[in-house]
Amino acid sequence: MDLIANLSLGFETAFGLQNLIYCFLGVFLGTAVGVLPGLGPIATISMLLPLTFGLSADAALIMLAGIYYGSQYGGSTTAILVNLPGEASSVVTAMDGYQMARKGRAGAALATAAIGSFFAGTVGTILIAAFAPALAVVALKFGPVEYFSLLVLGVIASIILASGSLLSAFGMILIGLMLGFVGTDVNSGLPRFTFGSMDMMDGIDFVVVAMGVFGIGEIIANLENERTREVMVKSVTGLMPTRSDWKRITGPILRGTGLGSVLGVLPGGGAMLAAFGSYAMEKKLSKTPREFGQGAIEGVAGPEAANNAAAQTAFIPMLTLGFPGNATMALMIGALIIQGIQPGPGVMAEQPALFWGLIASMWIGNLMLVILNLPLVGLWVKLISIPYHFLYPAICIFCAIGVFSLANSTFDVWMMAAFGVLGYIFRKLDAEPAPMLLALILGPMLEEYLRRALLISRGDATVFFTQPISAVMLGAAALLLAAVLLPSFRKTREVAFQDED
């Protein structure tokens, strides 16, 4: 009964006129940034964060969440029509989706992606509503010791699950942690790593880093390798799957939803890992594995369901523990802080309308996305056809305005430009920058909880191993580190990510 009452409150909040408008705006922008290669949800959310100052907390979170899971839908459109994934998690969709388009079945591929995404998104929303309250109750028992151990586990898991080499992921984590220590020490009030600059006394804002690395850096990379994008299909027909298609996609959608729901909660690239895992699973289960890569509809249905389920369940640790599982969730936590809300289990008790309104809006947003993605295919085709050199000036202007509006500081704009160059260098070195942004958010939290725990225990570090919950999480972190040393694990991990490269 409590669940029904909470969902009633959530739908009452989500169906407010303002929240409906911002939900639509979020999923529309999310689809657009998913369609446009080189402009992902991280850069878009970073650009829009300063604009959320004037919005209510529920409207801001609903819009930003719509951008995130909407981009998973949009990424499949370019993957199918242009063989150019708008999102990393849509790389797998391109393998068979583009081949279907070449065979004149673009409509069936797009419909399969939309249906699988909607079903997975709906199931993911139900899982959030069912399990988030129970997890929040457990989280209320967490103190500084448990939170520190949880963050350590999250950092280590994000290294292992990040794409690219383990060494580069570890390096990105270290860089992010060091950037997080820049600013004024909370306890002593002394400046740290500011090099005498007053502009750095408040630290390096994560929005500046995100816009630079993921926005400007992506622009530089795209301009270097700009190529003409030829859309495979000018008009899309036959959107409804046939009876034979339904038989073939039902199983992959169900299995992809289950796999994505589990992997989405894990720190790191949950949606991307879920898509690759689903594709590998469907290929092994198929009676005709040779069809994969040649236009197998199962290769579209499974991964699309998996990445959208993972995108939804990624909100569970963010909403209940205040713990970001990926870089986008870290920005969502930043949005909560901007609104003056402390992330964590207290959100559900102190802001029930926000908590349940966000969950209800996800179902509404997924329904909107089905309507947006199928009838408006023609609009997305035209958007794909726009030359990139016409788009990047507008993106740069929005980035600069967004960063400047944070503190009315030109120093932040120059800092964004510097991180843009750094982001481009990371890409040339094949170093995935997402772990760095995650560590930049988690670094100050790690330090804060470590200090609190040691103050409470009067400097006794054994408290991290004598508290049961903390000991279990540190033990899990140790097992993950031990697994990294196993050659068989490293080989399996490399195989899992080789298709992305």
Side-chain angles (χ1 to χ4, degrees):
M1 293 301 292
D2 288 340
L3 180 60
I4 295 175
N6 289 330
L7 287 176
S8 297
L9 173 63
F11 279 107
E12 182 181 347
T13 303
F15 276 117
L17 181 59
Q18 183 190 41
N19 290 338
L20 275 177
I21 292 173
Y22 281 104
C23 181
F24 177 81
L25 182 62
V27 297
F28 184 84
L29 286 174
T31 303
V33 301
V35 166
L36 290 172
L39 183 62
I42 298 176
T44 306
I45 291 174
S46 301
M47 283 188 282
L48 294 178
L49 271 180
L51 302 180
T52 62
F53 282 111
L55 299 179
S56 62
D58 48 359
L61 266 293
I62 286 171
M63 180 183 69
L64 297 179
I67 292 172
Y68 176 53
Y69 57 81
S71 65
Q72 305 299 320
Y73 277 74
S76 64
T77 302
T78 49
I80 292 168
L81 297 181
V82 198
N83 197 27
L84 192 61
E87 277 295 294
S89 56
S90 298
V91 170
V92 188
T93 306
M95 295 179 186
D96 286 282
Y98 182 66
Q99 295 301 321
M100 288 182 67
R102 293 186 65 182
K103 294 177 181 179
R105 302 209 65 210
L110 290 169
T112 298
I115 292 167
S117 298
F118 174 73
F119 177 81
T122 302
V123 172
T125 303
I126 294 171
L127 290 176
I128 296 174
F131 292 106
L135 189 58
V137 171
V138 174
L140 289 172
K141 299 178 181 179
F142 278 36
V145 174
E146 289 78 12
Y147 268 111
F148 173 78
S149 301
L150 173 67
L151 293 174
V152 169
L153 175 60
V155 168
I156 292 174
S158 66
I159 294 174
I160 296 172
L161 295 177
S163 61
S165 71
L166 286 169
L167 184 62
S168 66
F170 183 72
M172 290 294 100
I173 288 288
L174 286 181
I175 293 174
L177 290 174
M178 288 189 292
L179 290 175
F181 294 145
V182 174
T184 304
D185 185 275
V186 177
N187 287 1
S188 65
L190 296 175
R192 301 186 304 184
F193 311 112
T194 59
F195 302 100
S197 172
M198 294 298 295
D199 293 300
M200 298 180 69
M201 291 292 287
D202 291 332
I204 300 175
D205 198 297
F206 67 92
V207 178
V208 175
V209 177
M211 281 198 194
V213 173
F214 293 95
I216 305 299
E218 196 71 48
I219 288 172
I220 298 173
N222 276 277
L223 286 176
E224 182 192 45
N225 300 308
E226 185 177 8
R227 53 181 173 169
T228 304
R229 289 170 286 178
E230 295 180 358
V231 180
M232 188 66 220
V233 181
K234 299 299 181 182
S235 60
V236 179
T237 58
L239 286 173
M240 284 305 296
T242 64
R243 183 177 298 180
S244 174
D245 290 337
W246 278 107
K247 290 181 180 179
R248 294 181 63 180
I249 67 176
T250 302
I253 288 175
L254 292 173
R255 288 188 290 268
T257 299
L259 181 66
S261 298
V262 174
L263 294 180
V265 183
L266 298 177
M272 183 178 64
L273 196 66
F276 278 90
S278 174
Y279 189 85
M281 179 171 62
E282 293 307 321
K283 190 173 182 179
K284 285 185 177 181
L285 293 175
S286 176
K287 296 179 180 178
T288 55
R290 291 185 179 180
E291 289 186 11
F292 281 75
Q294 306 298 321
I297 196 169
E298 296 91 339
V300 175
E304 279 301 304
N307 69 41
N308 277 274
Q312 300 290 143
T313 55
F315 283 88
I316 293 178
M318 190 278 288
L319 289 172
T320 57
L321 301 173
F323 173 74
N326 55 49
T328 309
M329 290 300 106
L331 293 176
M332 298 292 290
I333 284 181
L336 283 173
I337 296 172
I338 286 175
Q339 294 290 335
I341 300 171
Q342 178 62 38
V347 173
M348 188 172 66
E350 298 167 8
Q351 303 280 343
L354 168 64
F355 184 90
W356 292 103
L358 179 59
I359 291 174
S361 74
M362 291 178 186
W363 188 85
I364 298 171
N366 274 281
L367 187 60
M368 289 179 177
L369 281 165
V370 174
I371 299 172
L372 279 173
N373 273 265
L374 296 182
L376 298 183
V377 167
L379 174 63
W380 307 130
V381 168
K382 291 180 180 178
L383 192 60
I384 296 169
S385 304
I386 298 175
Y388 193 75
H389 58 267
F390 290 145
L391 294 174
Y392 84 85
I395 299 172
C396 288
I397 290 172
F398 280 119
C399 286
I401 293 173
V403 166
F404 182 79
S405 64
L406 289 172
N408 294 329
S409 171
T410 54
F411 177 82
D412 286 345
V413 179
W414 288 110
M415 184 73 75
M416 177 192 69
F419 276 107
V421 175
L422 192 62
Y424 170 71
I425 294 173
F426 288 156
R427 282 165 177 77
K428 298 295 287 185
L429 297 175
D430 292 325
E432 170 60 45
M436 183 189 71
L437 183 61
L438 192 63
L440 176 61
I441 300 291
L442 297 182
M445 297 168 65
L446 267 170
E447 181 187 16
E448 181 182 353
Y449 286 122
L450 175 62
R451 286 187 171 187
R452 285 185 187 178
L454 292 177
L455 283 172
I456 293 172
S457 65
R458 298 183 179 181
D460 183 10
T462 60
V463 69
F464 295 107
F465 305 98
T466 55
Q467 297 288 342
I469 297 177
S470 174
V472 169
M473 287 188 288
L474 288 178
L479 287 175
L480 286 176
L481 282 176
V484 174
L485 301 177
L486 297 175
S488 59
F489 177 87
R490 290 202 300 270
K491 184 178 180 181
T492 302
R493 183 181 178 277
E494 289 172 4
V495 170
F497 288 112
Q498 68 181 356
D499 289 330
E500 182 197 356
D501 299 331

